């Protein structure tokens, strides 16, 4: 029989393949949402280990928890799926959908694009997340998800991980988030991953920063992150929307 969630529910769940994905892709947005009073949770599908400079998963996990605290996220979960060989499988979909049924978010943020020359886990994570969002709502299937009741997630947004500027696309619709006030928090959160960004890889942080400023320049603000929606974005008060009074 279906039972109530065991832990506090959240407004937003951001899903990454590895600890540090969400910080790089949408950390400024997550920090902004937390400042606005939304309950933000982060889910890493894998522990991201092994990596060249990390002594092990415990250290990486501690870095991830420190980054979550920096962003103001209220929960961070690591699913026991395999780094480097993450695949869109039934098992992976069920694990994430079960957690989504527990957390009951209004919005899910997913990795949204292939990352050529980087880990193929990112694209698999996107496929797993899309499937899990759908599985979360299906009825007559609770036994597959620890007997948790269905939860309909109305909104899915994507975030990028690569270093490309937004290009017009007729299939998806961009949302530019002004992260001018949370840019420093984003960089501080990424900086928590000392095993991933030792001095010889500090240039990656500079590029993350430069991209945010470039995205911001295109939008007329200091720094921005671009998310995108699989549906056209509905605006209920165009004046407040265009003047940024929300
Ligand atoms: Zn990654």
């Amino acid at each position: 029989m279906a039972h109530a969630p065991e832990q506090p529910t959240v407004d937003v769940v951001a899903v990454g393949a590895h600890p540090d994905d969400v910080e790089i892709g949408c950390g400024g947005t997550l920090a902004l949402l937390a400042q606005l009073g939304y309950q933000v949770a982060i889910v890493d599908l894998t522990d991201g280990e092994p990596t060249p400079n990390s002594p092990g998963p415990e250290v990486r996990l501690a870095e991830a928890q420190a980054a979550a605290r920096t962003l103001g996220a209220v929960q961070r979960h690591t699913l026991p799926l395999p780094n480097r060989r993450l695949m869109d499988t039934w098992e992976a979909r069920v694990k994430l959908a079960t957690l989504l049924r527990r957390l009951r978010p209004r919005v899910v943020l997913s990795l949204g694009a292939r990352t050529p020359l980087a880990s193929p886990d990112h694209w698999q994570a996107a496929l797993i997340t899309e499937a899990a969002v759908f599985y979360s709502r299906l009825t007559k299937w609770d036994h597959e998800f620890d007997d948790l009741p269905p939860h309909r997630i109305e909104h899915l947004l994507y975030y990028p991980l690569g270093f490309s500027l937004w290009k017009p696309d007729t299939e998806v619709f961009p949302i530019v988030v002004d992260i001018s006030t949370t840019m420093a928090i984003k960089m501080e959160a990424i900086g928590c991953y000392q095993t991933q960004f030792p001095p010889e890889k500090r240039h990656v942080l500079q590029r993350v920063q430069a991209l945010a400023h470039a995205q911001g320049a295109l939008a007329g603000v200091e720094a921005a992150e671009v998310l995108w929606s699989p549906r056209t974005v509905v605006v209920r008060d165009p004046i407040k929307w265009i003047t940024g009074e929300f």
Side-chain angles (χ1 to χ4, degrees):
M1 203 174 98
H3 54 77
E6 297 155 9
Q7 57 200 109
T9 58
V10 299
D11 296 299
V12 183
V13 170
V15 183
H18 319 110
D20 79 10
D21 286 351
V22 302
E23 286 83 357
I24 294 169
C26 59
T29 301
L30 297 183
L32 182 66
L33 292 172
Q35 285 183 359
L36 291 171
Y38 295 106
Q39 302 289 300
V40 175
I42 298 168
V43 177
D44 305 311
L45 297 179
T46 78
D47 64 9
E49 289 296 306
T51 48
N53 298 306
S54 172
E58 299 78 18
V59 173
R60 186 81 177 272
L61 192 62
E63 291 176 340
Q65 292 299 346
R69 282 194 298 276
T70 302
L71 293 177
V74 292
Q75 297 183 40
R76 183 166 208 145
H77 301 266
T78 309
L79 291 184
L81 294 168
N83 179 44
R84 295 181 172 176
R85 51 192 176 91
L86 183 66
M87 299 297 286
D88 175 23
T89 61
W90 161 248
E91 182 201 21
R93 293 176 176 190
V94 168
K95 277 194 165 61
L96 181 58
T98 302
L99 186 53
L100 292 178
R101 283 178 179 231
R102 211 162 255 138
L103 298 175
R104 305 181 73 80
R106 297 160 65 190
V107 181
V108 167
L109 265 73
S110 167
L111 280 157
R114 293 166 190 267
T115 52
L117 301 178
S119 172
D121 291 353
H122 300 134
W123 180 240
Q124 296 299 312
L127 299 175
I128 293 166
T129 307
E130 286 178 350
V133 164
F134 184 63
Y135 285 5
S136 180
R137 76 170 58 161
L138 295 178
T139 57
K140 301 180 179 174
W141 225 20
D142 298 359
H143 60 279
E144 300 286 2
F145 307 99
D146 286 356
D147 288 330
L148 290 161
H151 171 64
R152 178 176 284 269
I153 297 162
E154 296 289 351
H155 303 286
L156 174 66
L157 292 173
Y158 298 102
Y159 66 88
L161 203 56
F163 290 104
S164 60
L165 290 171
W166 172 257
K167 295 180 215 55
D169 186 322
T170 55
E171 300 298 320
V172 294
F173 304 91
I175 299 168
V176 178
V177 182
D178 180 357
I179 62 161
S180 304
T181 59
T182 54
M183 184 66 200
I185 298 173
K186 173 186 171 104
M187 298 314 298
E188 193 188 331
I190 299 172
C192 291
Y193 294 96
Q194 291 181 16
T195 61
Q196 305 304 303
F197 302 105
E200 63 271 23
K201 284 186 75 180
R202 285 276 148 178
H203 62 276
V204 176
L205 305 192
Q206 290 168 354
R207 289 175 195 171
V208 169
Q209 209 158 7
L211 181 66
H213 288 306
Q215 303 278 27
L218 293 174
V221 298
E222 189 183 324
E225 285 172 344
V226 178
L227 311 179
W228 59 93
S229 165
R231 293 192 297 218
T232 46
V233 178
V234 177
V235 175
R236 295 199 166 78
D237 185 332
I239 299 298
K240 281 190 178 173
W241 170 72
I242 200 70
T243 57
E245 289 173 32
F246 281 118

